[in-house]
């Protein structure tokens, strides 16, 4: 039997089918959960091509070289019938970056799109944490089929906020430091920062997310369980008190109890 079939038929405690997921699979490394070495390579090679080629032969050659590398990686994935998603995403990203560099006539324009997207991500994650709708919790609740039930559990909401804040801090650091290099026309250092602050920091943030999400999940009920609202608890307390009074005043009720 294939490995995927055996994993799909594996059962967890209580007879429920085991569900392997990014955060819930203890056997997967953090790098594997983030796309593996292929994702790292596909995101780095175009930059490693663009920066030195620009320094030696100029912007035009660098633009075509980066595009050529992106196309080659995409074709390689298609020929090998691998998951083309990393190569497709990489090609689109490179196409946008070289277009901006071409329009601005400056090699540093290649990095402007990345800086802007990091700033937008930072704002979105930060605002979601501030308004108590942490984006990590929203995404994870959707993936797990739990919706937003976790918001009624203070401890779970706290840990999802921690995870969301980690990503907000990561995106902020990237955007600010790379923008400073952009203002100073440091193309070589922009390339180094894009790679150095890319996967290494993302691995740290992802590991912190796994840690926080697992703690949040420890406070959540299982899928399908009913989480009683505070007002439901109050109503239940009133009902219990009424029954207690009835039992005290009615010997028959007391005897039945």
């Amino acid at each position: 039997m294939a490995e995927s079939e055996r994993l799909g038929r594996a059962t967890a405690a209580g007879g429920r089918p085991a569900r392997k997921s990014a955060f819930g699979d203890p056997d997967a490394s953090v790098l594997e959960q983030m796309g593996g070495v292929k994702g790292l390579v596909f995101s780095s090679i175009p930059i490693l091509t663009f920066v030195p080629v620009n320094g030696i032969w100029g912007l035009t050659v660098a633009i075509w070289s980066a595009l050529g590398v992106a196309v080659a990686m995409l074709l390689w994935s298609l020929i090998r019938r691998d998951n083309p998603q990393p190569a497709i995403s990489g090609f689109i990203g490179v196409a946008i970056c070289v277009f901006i560099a071409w329009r601005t006539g400056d090699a540093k324009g290649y990095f402007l799109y990345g800086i802007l997207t990091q700033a937008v991500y930072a704002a979105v994650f930060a605002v979601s944490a501030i308004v108590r709708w942490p984006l990590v919790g929203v995404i994870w609740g959707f993936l797990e089929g739990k919706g937003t039930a976790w918001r009624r559990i203070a401890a779970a909401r706290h840990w999802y906020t921690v995870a969301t804040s980690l990503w907000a801090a990561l995106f902020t650091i990237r955007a600010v430091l790379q923008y400073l290099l952009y203002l100073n026309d440091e193309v070589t250092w922009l390339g180094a920062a894009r790679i150095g602050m890319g996967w290494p920091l993302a691995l740290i943030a992802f590991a912190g997310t796994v840690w926080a999400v697992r703690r949040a999940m420890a406070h959540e009920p299982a899928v399908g369980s009913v989480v009683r609202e505070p007002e439901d608890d109050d109503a239940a307390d009133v009902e219990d008190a009424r029954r207690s009074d009835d039992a005290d005043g009615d010997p028959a009720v007391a005897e039945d109890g």
Side-chain angles (χ1 to χ4, degrees), residues 160-248:
Y160 284 129
T161 300
V162 169
T164 301
S165 300
L166 285 174
W167 287 101
L170 166 64
F171 294 134
T172 300
I173 292 172
R174 284 177 176 173
V176 171
L177 293 184
Q178 291 180 32
Y179 184 63
L180 292 176
L181 293 173
Y182 178 87
L183 291 178
N184 287 282
D185 299 324
E186 297 287 352
V187 176
T188 301
W189 281 108
L190 273 170
R194 174 71 70 84
I195 296 174
M197 300 177 70
W199 278 83
L201 290 185
L203 288 171
I204 295 173
F206 195 87
T209 300
V210 172
W211 171 75
V213 167
R214 285 178 175 172
R215 277 153 182 76
M217 292 174 65
H219 297 280
E220 296 182 56
V223 177
S225 299
V226 177
V227 180
R228 295 171 66 183
E229 298 281 4
E231 54 268 28
D232 294 337
D233 294 337
D234 294 340
D237 292 340
V238 171
E239 180 64 18
D240 291 340
R242 185 187 66 77
R243 291 179 179 177
S244 178
D245 293 340
D246 291 343
D248 292 338

Side-chain angles (χ1 to χ4, degrees), residues 42 68-82 87:
F42 282 6
V69 167
V71 171
M73 291 189 298
L74 178 57
L75 292 176
W76 177 253
S77 294
L78 294 176
I79 292 172
R80 290 176 54 86
R81 297 184 179 180
D82 294 333

Side-chain angles (χ1 to χ4, degrees), residues 88-99:
I88 293 174
S89 299
F91 173 77
I92 294 174
V94 170
I96 294 174
C97 291
V98 297
F99 175 77

Side-chain angles (χ1 to χ4, degrees), residues 16 23 33 44 109 130 150 241:
R16 291 178 300 175
F23 295 129
Q33 294 173 18
S44 301
I130 292 172
W150 54 268

Side-chain angles (χ1 to χ4, degrees), residues 6 33 41 101 105 113 125 127 132 147 206 215:
R6 286 191 283 108
Q33 294 173 18
V41 171
Y113 173 71
F125 275 76
V127 170
R132 304 180 70 182
F206 195 87
R215 277 153 182 76

